[in-house]
């Protein structure tokens, strides 16, 4: 027992050391990430923090039809609040006032025009708001390690092998150039990645230790994820479905279990709704019941407009190619619209970032390793099923397969950041793959 405790302490120490090193790497590269026009717009939107939190003026942001009554309201409908609130906390704590914020980015006009007319944030403001997003990326990295450990502990018997799953997951997650670029920017992706990992952690924690407290935690995590980005609803639904499937499958008395599941997941769902509404004052109006439909309708209109302006997939082959790149591709998409690449300084920013050795690892060899680890991870899930850990296999399978299929069916154009929700479960699978390979090596050595 004493040796086991000592071993656990060493593993925790190694966890902390790895996470500290990865966090430093992530933070050092924040200043060098090439700028994106959406960063200006999201920083501009964070003025809601001053309006709602500092001044308490809820009526200024509550919904009033029609959806496109103002640019501000339209953007509030399309986007979550988590990033805006945390950005507001960041710049307010750093001594900025809302009057120091830049205006919304004007697309179609170059960087010089936007800078000269106040649409580009100051360097310090950009750094502060990027830091708020980057910290959530780091938190998500720690959660990915923890989830991998929770899952691996139930599949593998050796502590070192289980620990290796977390180390592989966190490392490949943190050094993924696509995750790094999007998570470091002052955009919604850092908060979204945190929300996805938080819901995943709450789900696997609840799978292992069923309790009413666990359903509250799951609901709170889901509420935070929804406020980070509305598209996290797909992941939330998949994880809820996975939990329901395993809880229902273990019941002997199906009638009694049905009532219990309705109550428990009703509790989680209600908590999700309460947290989401508490953080979304846009919905605090007499039009509350209309808001889900308004959001879905405006999101669909946005996608339709993007397809018209930038072109979408024309056939299944293009969708599959985009999906493959979204899953295993590690070449960052620094901008989505071609004309951005012609702006003065953009190419230099990208070259400087990539030559800094802070952009992650994106060699073709890494792509091959990611594919091999993913395949080995699927073997590990099967191994877990064979060892009687069917719950883990079911939840992971529903999450991974589900989000891949949903991405294939719902993403209409080749915008890399839309595929980011796949990276969280994929990192878990790759971590399990690394552990599986280590298990085979050690067993062969024995």
């Amino acid at each position: 027992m004493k040796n086991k405790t000592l071993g656990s302490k060493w593993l925790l120490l190694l966890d902390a050391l790895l996470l500290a090193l990865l966090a430093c790497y992530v933070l050092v590269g924040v200043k060098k990430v090439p700028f994106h026009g959406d960063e200006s717009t999201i920083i501009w939107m964070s003025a809601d923090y001053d309006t709602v939190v500092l001044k308490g003026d809820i009526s200024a942001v509550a919904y009033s039809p029609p959806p496109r009554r103002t640019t501000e309201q339209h953007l509030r409908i399309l986007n979550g609040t988590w990033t805006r609130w945390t950005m507001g906390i960041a710049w307010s704590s750093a001594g900025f006032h809302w009057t120091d914020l830049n205006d919304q980015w004007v697309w179609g006009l170059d960087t010089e025009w936007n800078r000269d007319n106040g649409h580009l944030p100051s360097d310090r403001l950009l750094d502060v708001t990027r830091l708020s997003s980057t910290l959530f990326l780091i938190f998500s990295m720690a959660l990915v390690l923890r989830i991998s450990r929770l899952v691996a502990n139930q599949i593998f018997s050796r502590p070192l092998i289980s620990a290796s799953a977390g180390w592989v997951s966190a490392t490949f997650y943190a050094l993924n150039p696509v995750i790094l670029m999007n998570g470091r920017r002052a955009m919604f992706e850092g908060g979204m990645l945190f929300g996805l990992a938080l819901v995943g952690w709450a789900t696997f924690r609840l799978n292992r230790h069923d309790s009413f407290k666990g359903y509250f935690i799951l609901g709170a995590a889901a509420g935070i994820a929804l406020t980070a980005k509305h598209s996290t609803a797909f992941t939330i639904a998949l994880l809820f479905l996975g939990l329901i499937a395993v809880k229902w499958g273990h019941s002997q008395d199906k009638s009694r279990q049905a009532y219990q599941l309705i109550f428990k997941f009703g509790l989680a769902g209600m908590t999700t709704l309460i947290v989401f509404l508490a953080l979304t004052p846009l919905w605090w109006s007499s039009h509350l019941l209309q808001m889900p439909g308004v959001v879905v309708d405006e999101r669909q209109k946005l996608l339709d407009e993007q397809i018209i302006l930038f072109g979408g997939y024309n056939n299944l082959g293009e969708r599959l190619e985009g999906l493959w790149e979204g899953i295993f591709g590690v070449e960052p998409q620094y901008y989505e619209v071609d004309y951005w690449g012609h702006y003065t300084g953009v190419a230099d920013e990208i070259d400087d970032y990539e030559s800094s050795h802070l952009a992650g690892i994106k060699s073709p060899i890494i792509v091959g390793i990611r594919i091999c680890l993913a395949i080995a991870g699927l073997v590990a899930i099967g191994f877990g099923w064979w060892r009687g850990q069917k719950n883990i296999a079911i939840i992971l399978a529903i999450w991974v397969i589900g989000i891949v299929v949903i991405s294939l069916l719902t993403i209409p154009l080749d915008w890399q950041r839309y595929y980011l929700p796949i990276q969280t479960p994929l990192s878990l699978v790759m971590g399990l793959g690394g552990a599986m390979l280590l298990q085979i090596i050690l067993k062969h050595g024995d």
Side-chain angles (χ1 to χ4, degrees):
M1 179 64 70
K2 190 173 182 179
N3 288 337
K4 186 176 181 180
T5 303
L6 184 62
S8 298
K9 288 182 178 179
W10 272 108
L11 292 178
L12 288 174
L13 181 61
L14 291 172
D15 287 350
L17 178 60
L18 176 64
L19 289 174
L21 291 172
L22 292 175
C24 288
Y25 181 83
V26 172
L27 288 168
V28 170
V30 169
K31 283 179 173 286
K32 288 190 171 291
V33 179
F35 176 75
H36 192 290
D38 282 353
E39 293 185 271
S40 277
T41 298
I42 297 167
I43 293 170
W44 172 69
M45 291 171 65
S46 71
D48 280 356
Y49 173 80
D50 178 83
T51 303
V52 175
V53 178
L54 301 183
K55 294 177 180 173
D57 188 2
I58 304 298
S59 62
V61 301
Y63 175 75
S64 177
R68 303 193 182 201
R69 180 174 57 88
T70 64
T71 301
E72 292 91 337
Q73 173 168 275
H74 185 231
L75 289 174
R76 291 186 191 113
I77 291 170
L78 292 174
N79 302 290
T81 58
W82 182 260
T83 296
R84 283 181 277 155
W85 298 145
T86 54
M87 270 190 188
I89 293 171
W91 56 249
S92 178
S93 300
F96 287 98
H97 187 261
W98 74 270
T99 55
D100 299 316
L101 303 183
N102 54 274
D103 289 327
Q104 179 187 11
W105 189 262
V106 179
W107 289 96
L109 295 174
D110 62 21
T111 305
E112 286 78 7
W113 186 95
N114 277 280
R115 179 186 293 110
D116 294 342
N117 290 275
H119 297 266
L120 187 72
S122 67
D123 290 343
R124 182 166 173 263
L125 176 60
L126 182 62
D127 290 342
V128 167
T129 50
R130 279 182 170 182
L131 182 61
S132 69
S133 177
T134 303
L135 289 176
F136 284 114
L137 170 60
I138 291 171
F139 294 152
S140 73
M141 178 181 70
L143 285 168
V144 165
L145 185 148
R146 182 57 185 160
I147 300 168
S148 298
R149 186 70 50 79
L150 280 172
V151 173
N153 279 338
Q154 297 176 65
I155 295 177
F156 304 103
S157 56
R158 296 190 186 186
L160 178 61
I161 294 175
S162 298
S164 70
W167 299 335
V168 172
S169 290
T171 300
F172 275 83
Y173 181 87
L175 298 183
N176 184 330
V178 177
I179 291 176
L180 276 173
M181 179 196 68
N182 285 286
R184 283 167 167 166
R185 281 174 166 170
M187 292 167 63
F188 295 110
E189 279 63 40
M192 180 196 71
L193 289 167
F194 169 70
L196 294 173
L198 190 64
V199 178
W201 168 78
T203 299
F204 286 104
R205 179 181 179 276
L206 186 56
N207 171 65
R208 191 167 186 179
H209 303 290
D210 193 286
S211 67
F212 286 111
K213 178 183 175 183
Y215 287 94
F216 274 117
I217 293 173
L218 176 62
I224 290 171
L226 270 180
T227 62
K229 203 163 188 178
H230 297 142
S231 59
T232 60
F234 292 124
T235 292
I236 293 168
L238 290 170
L239 289 172
F240 273 46
L241 177 62
L243 265 179
I244 291 171
V246 298
K247 300 296 182 184
W248 176 259
H250 280 189
S251 172
Q252 299 297 324
D253 186 345
K254 298 296 184 185
S255 177
R256 181 182 177 186
Q257 183 70 1
Y259 288 115
Q260 290 180 347
L261 287 178
I262 290 172
F263 179 77
K264 289 177 178 178
F265 282 94
L267 181 65
M270 186 60 66
T271 305
T272 301
L273 182 62
I274 290 171
V275 171
F276 175 77
L277 289 177
L279 295 172
T280 312
L282 170 75
W283 289 36
W284 300 1
S285 72
S286 57
H287 304 277
L288 173 62
L289 297 181
Q290 301 174 20
M291 291 311 299
V294 170
V295 171
V296 171
D297 185 53
E298 290 303 308
R299 289 296 308 180
Q300 186 57 54
K301 287 179 180 177
L302 175 65
L303 288 174
D304 292 340
E305 290 168 2
Q306 289 173 340
I307 293 170
I308 292 171
L309 290 172
F310 311 116
Y313 295 130
N314 295 311
N315 51 57
L316 179 59
E318 290 184 0
R319 282 181 175 269
L320 289 171
E321 183 180 352
L323 179 67
W324 178 264
E325 286 298 319
I327 295 174
F328 293 111
V330 292
E331 182 68 42
Q333 188 181 52
Y334 291 107
Y335 48 84
E336 293 81 14
V337 293
D338 291 339
Y339 62 75
W340 184 270
H342 302 302
Y343 288 163
T344 302
V346 170
D348 292 336
E349 281 189 354
I350 295 173
D351 288 342
D352 183 50
Y353 179 59
E354 294 197 340
S355 63
S356 69
H357 304 294
L358 296 171
I361 304 175
K362 62 173 187 176
S363 71
I365 295 175
I366 291 297
V367 174
I369 292 174
R370 283 166 58 84
I371 294 171
C372 291
L373 286 175
I375 294 172
L378 296 177
V379 174
I381 294 172
F383 179 68
W385 181 285
W386 176 72
R387 291 198 63 186
Q389 300 299 330
K390 295 183 179 180
N391 288 6
I392 292 295
I394 290 171
I395 295 173
L396 264 177
I398 289 176
W399 188 4
V400 175
I401 297 172
I403 199 63
V404 168
V405 171
I406 288 171
S407 298
L408 175 65
L409 297 177
T410 63
I411 297 176
L413 71 171
D414 185 20
W415 282 25
Q416 191 179 63
R417 53 180 150 148
Y418 287 172
Y419 292 99
L420 272 179
I422 298 175
Q423 294 303 323
T424 304
L426 177 63
S427 297
L428 303 180
V429 173
M430 289 193 298
L432 293 177
M436 190 75 231
L437 293 175
L438 180 60
Q439 165 114 334
I440 293 171
I441 292 170
L442 292 178
K443 189 173 183 179
H444 181 72
D446 292 342

